[in-house]
Amino acid sequence: MFAYTLRRLAGAVPTVFVIIAIAFFMIRLAPGGPFDQERSVPPEIQANLDRAYHLDEPLVQQFLRYLGDILTGDFGPSFRYKDFTVTELVAEGFPVSLKLGLAAMVIAVVVGFAAGAYAALRRNSGFDAATMTLAMTGIAVPNFVIAPLLTLTLGVWLALLPVGGWGSFDQAILPVVALALPEIAYIARLTRGSMLEVLRADFVRTARAKGLSERAMVLRHALQAAALPVLSFLGPTTAAVITGSVVIEQIFGIPGIGRYFVQGALNRDYTLVMGVVIFYAAVIIAFNLLVDLLYPLLDPRVRHD
Amino acid sequence: MRDAGVRLLRNRAAVVSGFVLAVIAAACVLVPWFAPWPLDAVDWSAIQAPPSADHWFGTDGNGRDLFVRIFYGGRISLTLGLAATLVAVVIGVAWGATAGYVGGTIDGLMMRTVDVLYALPFIFFVILLMVFFGRDVVLMFVALGAVSWLDMARIVRGQTLSLKRQEFVRAAHAMGLRPVAVVARHIVPNLLGPVAVFATLTVPRVILFESLLSFLGLGVQEPMTSWGVLISEGASAMESAPWMLLFPAVFLATTLFALNFIGDGLRDALDPRDH
């Protein structure tokens, strides 16, 4: 288990390196620089600015310097938010994004799993048909469409909930729901499929044959087995929730890191954009690893030797 | 293959979806031709006007007819979806078939590349690309295609591996056909089924991606428009002009719906064991 973790972490190194390299060179090779939008400055001052941020060095040297800085945990100062380092900005935005994302994931897993499992148990019932139609809607309609529609109906027309901002419980409902809906849909479909398969399995027939009540059979045997594909889907879900939160944070004016990313890209804030990309990549990789480590606990057939 | 066609035609959701999609596509081609209002014509007597006999879907904040703009936008969204999917299919099939057929170290290297790329948060790279290299439509579909081929490469490789062991491929090989010819004439044609299914499901994903970029203001630029742009404009004006949000949202959602149903139907028809 420990060796496996180490091996996986070692395997993540080339991935992170490629991410850093692509992002770094793409940003640097693009036309335009971080100080373009300011008043034109005398060449001496420009040269000083460039020197202060090491922009006058050859690109490869800048890259190596950046790699070295990262290894010591220094993601550099933000080029735009002058008094802040990237680490400070990410540290400020992350708790907000984390709350938003975690709430959406928990809701997605609980609601999606329950709805999917129940639909499978009541196969071809009205509930089944309704759930699957709703799930198709959730998959087909993107969250940047769902979010304004929810805001329009619940926020503006019915005036039940605030339409933006962050801080109170009321304000969190719409963004969390909008972020969770597509994932609820995917998980419900996935669970229904795997539950139908499990219900045909031999061990379920055995459980029934030995006289277990339907309820005990479902609770003790079927649900656990049906949960496995959902667990391995959590990796892609994290990635989707992170991507989604970039949009949702924009729409609802939530001060998380997603907003920094779009703003940073538009402002050519090199260090901020790099920092956010690396941070997100690390979160996704860490979550995938966590899921793979949890897997053998639920499914003894899987072992990481 | 004919059985698959019959099964597909028996799938009511897929048939209805195909019909709806055909109607929307036809309207996107025809409406801009016959419409009384050009894309950017301003009707000064109807600024942000609700739907009426003159403007069926109302007008936007600049008095431009929304009915016409939706079908212009549809042209862009659908064309981008198809073009980017084509890019993804070409790269994915070539990559996957080569890796699967050649095997060995080359296969390992090629699939390892796919694995590494898979872990990249692609949406961020597309956003960066659009920001730093300008909001160019051609660049956008190349970028969208270039990020969508990974799944395709994996699926195609798996299929190629199993095809490679079959007798007709070994026979072709024994008859002295060059590897390139074997891949082109015997492997690729037999991949059509899974490739068709996956391509159908890629189109809505790309359209969604494009709309997302346009929604963030990073995609299609004025004077052109797309469904994402229209939804973005509608979302910022929804309190005073909800029709600006509702109509484009309905068209985008219906199209994505239809494409997903067709993809599902196609998969069920080609692989009846699964469902």
Side-chain angles (χ1 to χ4, degrees):
Chain A
M1 191 76 164
F2 183 67
Y4 173 79
T5 312
L6 277 186
R7 212 165 50 236
R8 281 291 303 269
L9 285 176
V13 171
T15 309
V16 173
F17 180 79
V18 170
I19 291 173
I20 296 173
I22 295 183
F24 185 89
F25 288 105
M26 201 160 91
I27 293 173
R28 294 305 163 96
L29 293 176
F35 307 116
D36 281 0
Q37 285 158 358
E38 283 161 39
R39 284 171 296 139
S40 64
V41 290
E44 298 82 23
I45 297 181
Q46 184 66 46
N48 272 336
L49 270 174
D50 283 351
R51 194 167 331 113
Y53 290 104
H54 305 290
L55 292 174
D56 55 343
E57 294 172 357
L59 210 53
V60 176
Q61 198 180 336
Q62 286 185 44
F63 181 59
L64 293 177
R65 174 191 295 282
Y66 186 69
L67 284 182
D69 286 349
I70 290 179
L71 284 179
T72 62
D74 177 10
F75 286 80
S78 161
F79 283 180
R80 273 277 149 180
Y81 304 92
K82 289 265 162 55
D83 298 329
F84 294 91
T85 66
V86 171
T87 314
E88 282 168 350
L89 288 175
V90 170
E92 188 188 295
F94 183 56
V96 175
S97 296
L98 184 70
K99 265 182 229 158
L100 177 66
L102 270 187
M105 291 226 356
V106 170
I107 290 179
V109 170
V110 172
V111 177
F113 187 69
Y118 194 73
L121 290 172
R122 301 273 176 277
R123 196 182 185 184
N124 297 329
S125 68
F127 180 84
D128 185 19
T131 311
M132 285 308 108
T133 311
L134 273 178
M136 195 54 150
T137 316
I139 290 170
V141 186
N143 53 16
F144 62 87
V145 174
I146 291 177
L149 288 178
L150 283 177
T151 313
L152 183 63
T153 47
L154 297 177
V156 179
W157 286 345
L158 300 175
L160 293 173
L161 293 167
V163 296
W166 185 253
S168 73
F169 181 74
D170 284 0
Q171 283 173 325
I173 294 176
L174 280 180
V176 167
V177 170
L179 194 53
L181 275 178
E183 302 317 307
I184 294 179
Y186 276 110
I187 292 176
R189 266 168 67 118
L190 192 67
T191 310
R192 179 176 178 274
S194 84
M195 191 71 175
L196 285 177
E197 212 156 280
V198 167
L199 289 177
R200 282 196 300 263
D202 289 341
F203 70 88
V204 167
R205 196 178 318 136
T206 310
R208 280 187 179 136
K210 74 176 186 187
L212 225 56
S213 73
E214 194 69 11
R215 179 194 191 84
M217 182 277 293
V218 169
L219 289 180
R220 253 187 257 158
H221 299 282
L223 280 182
Q224 193 189 348
L228 291 175
V230 178
L231 186 65
S232 48
F233 188 66
L234 283 185
T237 310
T238 326
V241 164
I242 285 178
T243 314
S245 71
V246 172
V247 181
I248 296 292
E249 285 174 18
Q250 288 275 318
I251 294 176
F252 291 97
I254 296 168
I257 13 182
R259 220 189 30 168
Y260 282 133
F261 178 76
V262 177
Q263 287 311 315
L266 289 170
N267 291 333
R268 291 171 196 282
D269 195 335
Y270 293 162
T271 43
L272 182 58
V273 169
M274 287 289 301
V276 173
V277 168
I278 296 170
F279 183 75
Y280 274 150
V283 170
I284 294 174
I285 290 172
F287 220 85
N288 277 322
L289 177 62
L290 193 69
V291 168
D292 286 346
L293 288 178
L294 281 176
Y295 217 100
L297 297 182
L298 273 172
D299 186 354
R301 286 169 302 180
V302 180
R303 276 230 192 94
H304 302 305
D305 292 322
Chain B
M1 223 40 200
R2 179 172 300 164
D3 286 355
V6 171
R7 275 196 295 271
L8 185 63
L9 286 180
R10 274 207 214 111
N11 183 332
R12 225 185 313 153
V15 172
V16 172
S17 296
F19 181 71
V20 169
L21 201 62
V23 170
I24 291 180
C28 288
V29 174
L30 297 176
V31 167
W33 267 357
F34 294 110
W37 311 93
L39 171 68
D40 47 5
V42 174
D43 183 350
W44 293 104
S45 64
I47 302 290
Q48 216 174 64
S52 65
D54 273 352
H55 304 285
W56 291 353
F57 289 173
T59 62
D60 69 4
N62 294 320
R64 295 176 298 191
D65 186 84
L66 218 55
F67 185 74
V68 174
R69 287 180 73 72
I70 281 177
F71 290 110
Y72 265 108
R75 274 185 176 184
I76 296 283
S77 293
L78 290 177
T79 314
L80 268 172
L82 289 176
T85 302
L86 198 67
V87 173
V89 166
V90 171
I91 303 180
V93 170
W95 195 274
T98 310
Y101 190 77
V102 176
T105 322
I106 295 185
D107 177 32
L109 266 180
M110 287 175 92
M111 293 329 280
R112 189 77 195 107
T113 313
V114 170
D115 288 343
V116 169
L117 290 177
Y118 219 82
L120 301 185
F122 263 119
I123 181 77
F124 300 122
F125 284 100
V126 175
I127 289 178
L128 289 182
L129 212 61
M130 299 317 292
V131 170
F132 293 124
F133 289 94
R135 289 134 208 198
D136 182 62
V137 175
V138 177
L139 179 71
M140 186 149 92
F141 89 71
V142 172
L144 291 177
V147 302
S148 310
W149 64 273
L150 297 172
D151 290 308
M152 184 63 98
R154 279 186 172 173
I155 294 168
V156 167
R157 174 177 171 272
Q159 293 283 322
T160 309
L161 280 178
S162 67
L163 280 173
K164 196 167 74 168
R165 289 191 209 97
Q166 293 194 11
E167 271 130 26
F168 71 95
V169 174
R170 307 230 305 251
H173 204 67
M175 281 164 65
L177 223 56
R178 282 174 303 121
V180 177
V182 177
V183 171
R185 252 185 256 159
H186 296 285
I187 304 273
V188 171
N190 280 297
L191 293 169
L192 275 182
V195 168
V197 172
F198 189 72
T200 325
L201 293 171
T202 304
V203 177
R205 267 182 37 207
V206 174
I207 292 181
L208 208 146
F209 231 32
E210 177 275 323
S211 312
L212 172 68
L213 285 177
S214 297
F215 182 84
L216 291 174
L218 300 170
V220 174
Q221 301 291 307
E222 291 279 350
M224 273 324 298
T225 193
S226 78
W227 286 338
V229 176
L230 291 171
I231 290 171
S232 165
E233 288 168 3
S236 52
M238 66 184 168
E239 288 180 47
S240 50
W243 59 89
M244 279 177 63
L245 172 64
L246 293 177
F247 286 113
V250 165
F251 274 89
L252 178 66
T254 310
T255 305
L256 295 176
F257 243 123
L259 283 165
N260 276 308
F261 273 126
I262 294 173
D264 276 4
L266 212 52
R267 189 180 54 209
D268 293 352
L270 286 168
D271 187 10
R273 287 163 304 160
D274 234 27
H275 296 270

